[in-house]
Structure formats: structure tokens, C-alpha cells
Amino acid sequence: NDREAGDEDTNPHPSFVNNTITNLFLYKDRLGFVSNENVIMSGSGDLFNFYRKTVTTLLDDAPIDVSVASGRVLNLSSAVGFQENLILFGDNGQFALKGGDILTARTVSVNPITNFSLEDQVAPLPLGSYIYFPFTRGNFTGVREFTVNASTDNYDASEVTEHVPAYVPKNIIDIAGTTSEDIICLLSGDEKGSLYIYNYFWNNNQKVLSAWSKFTFTG
């Protein structure tokens, strides 16, 4: 939507203008973009408006444009809604965007939570109570299982390829999964005739199955 109040000083363009957009998402009734070190979200319930409706006061439904505070140059690649927070994935770090009970430009904050590397060609996969994302290890790919401890609010990402470090090839171009079958599939651009399958099973809070295999197709 066009800017209806103020000018470029009091109501500037959203920071994705003239910059590269690397990912988009929907979160708490807002349309969001990831661009460089910034997270930009539309007005609440007004998905195509990225300008404040008034510059005399900051309304709760105003758009949000916040940068990630980091001690190094960081390019955000994706954003995933996860257990009341928005998890931001960068080159070598993850951040949690929080906003209290109501997400507003006043209450929003971004805090670093973990520092894991990831392969940014594919978006992290939210599945059940976890987020799965691949990372490159030499000529092969590893996969991490990202979660949060609900009682301590601590984030961690355990590796589910630890027992097969030289099995899944590098250059992952797609990842998909389903909780009904408890499987995750990965496709490598270096081996497009095969799907690499991760099969898992949780019994209460204990993982009793963590198995890798592959299906190779002709044609």
C-alpha cells in the first residue's frame, strides 16, 4: 500500500526496499520479510501495508521493522514460527523474535539463542515439536534437530546424523517430512536420483528409533 502519512523522515520505506528479500513468512496475522539483518512485518491484520497510519503516535497494529543485533556481519536466510516465538536463521546463528502477549513495535525484541551453521539453500523444516535443518560437512550433509526446553526456555539442536557422518551427500536442494509417518526426506542436487530418508520414533520423551536409508529411482 502507498504511504498515507508523514514523509521519508517520519515514515520511511521498509528496509527491504532496494535490498534483497531472502524469505517471507506469516506470523501472528502479519506478513513478514527477511532481508539482510532485518525482519520486516506488515501492519497487524493489514498484510499489504508496511507504513505507519499515523506518525503522531505509535499504534499497536503498526508495522514492525527491526534489525538483529550481532557483533558480526549477519545475513538472515529464513524465519520459522515455533512455540510462540519466531526463530530467525542466519549464516552461523539463530535468533528468537519475541513480542510478549501482543506483538507490537514497542514490545518486539530479538535475542541470540544458538550458533549453529546451516545450509541456506533450503528453508528449515518445522515438524511436530522440532525444526530440522541441514548443514554442510565437507562433501557430506549433517542434519540438526532444533528444539526448546519448555521449562527452562533453553534452545538446543542435536545432530541426527552423528552416527552416519559420511552418508548424506552435500548440496541439499529440498527437504520435506511428515509426522504421520515420522519420516524426513532430503534431496541432493549432486544425486537427484535418490531420496535420503530419516526415520524416527519417539516413545514419551525418549527417541527409540533414529535410522537413515535411501531410495534410488530409475529415470
Side-chain angles (χ1 to χ4, degrees):
N1 294 350
D2 293 333
R3 177 172 49 208
E4 297 179 355
D7 53 29
E8 291 190 13
D9 293 324
T10 59
N11 197 4
H13 296 307
S15 59
F16 61 73
V17 173
N18 294 327
N19 285 305
T20 300
I21 293 173
T22 53
N23 200 254
L24 60 87
F25 59 91
L26 287 169
Y27 181 67
K28 293 193 174 182
D29 207 21
R30 295 175 184 265
L31 173 63
F33 296 96
V34 174
S35 177
N36 295 337
E37 296 186 356
N38 285 70
V39 182
I40 307 98
M41 287 183 272
S42 70
S44 179
D46 194 0
L47 301 186
F48 302 106
N49 178 46
F50 288 87
Y51 296 100
R52 292 170 57 178
K53 296 177 180 178
T54 174
V55 296
T56 57
T57 185
L58 184 59
L59 303 177
D60 285 347
D61 63 351
I64 295 172
D65 195 335
V66 60
S67 63
V68 173
S70 176
R72 59 186 184 277
V73 176
L74 178 77
N75 290 315
L76 297 175
S77 59
S78 55
V80 178
F82 182 63
Q83 299 190 15
E84 297 302 315
N85 296 328
L86 185 71
I87 307 300
L88 308 172
F89 290 84
D91 298 334
N92 288 290
Q94 291 74 48
F95 301 82
L97 184 147
K98 303 180 180 183
D101 295 333
I102 301 176
L103 179 63
T104 71
R106 282 194 188 93
T107 62
V108 67
S109 64
V110 180
N111 299 308
I113 48 176
T114 52
N115 291 285
F116 295 107
S117 60
L118 77 155
E119 176 56 61
D120 58 7
Q121 288 193 79
V122 294
L125 173 68
L127 204 62
S129 300
Y130 302 90
I131 301 175
Y132 295 87
F133 60 89
F135 65 95
T136 300
R137 181 196 283 117
N139 291 322
F140 299 96
T141 290
V143 178
R144 292 193 182 275
E145 186 178 65
F146 184 92
T147 189
V148 58
N149 187 315
S151 59
T152 62
D153 200 30
N154 289 331
Y155 295 85
D156 198 8
S158 58
E159 186 183 344
V160 297
T161 47
E162 194 171 17
H163 54 302
V164 284
Y167 184 65
V168 183
K170 64 177 182 178
N171 189 25
I172 299 299
I173 58 175
D174 202 4
I175 180 172
T178 169
T179 54
S180 61
E181 297 293 340
D182 289 341
I183 65 170
I184 297 173
C185 303
L186 289 88
L187 176 63
S188 168
D190 294 345
E191 193 178 336
K192 291 185 177 180
S194 297
L195 283 178
Y196 283 80
I197 308 297
Y198 176 57
N199 198 197
Y200 62 93
F201 182 73
W202 289 89
N203 185 13
N204 295 322
N205 291 324
Q206 183 179 4
K207 184 184 284 188
V208 295
L209 176 66
S210 181
W212 282 90
S213 59
K214 73 173 179 177
F215 287 93
T216 300
F217 302 87
T218 58

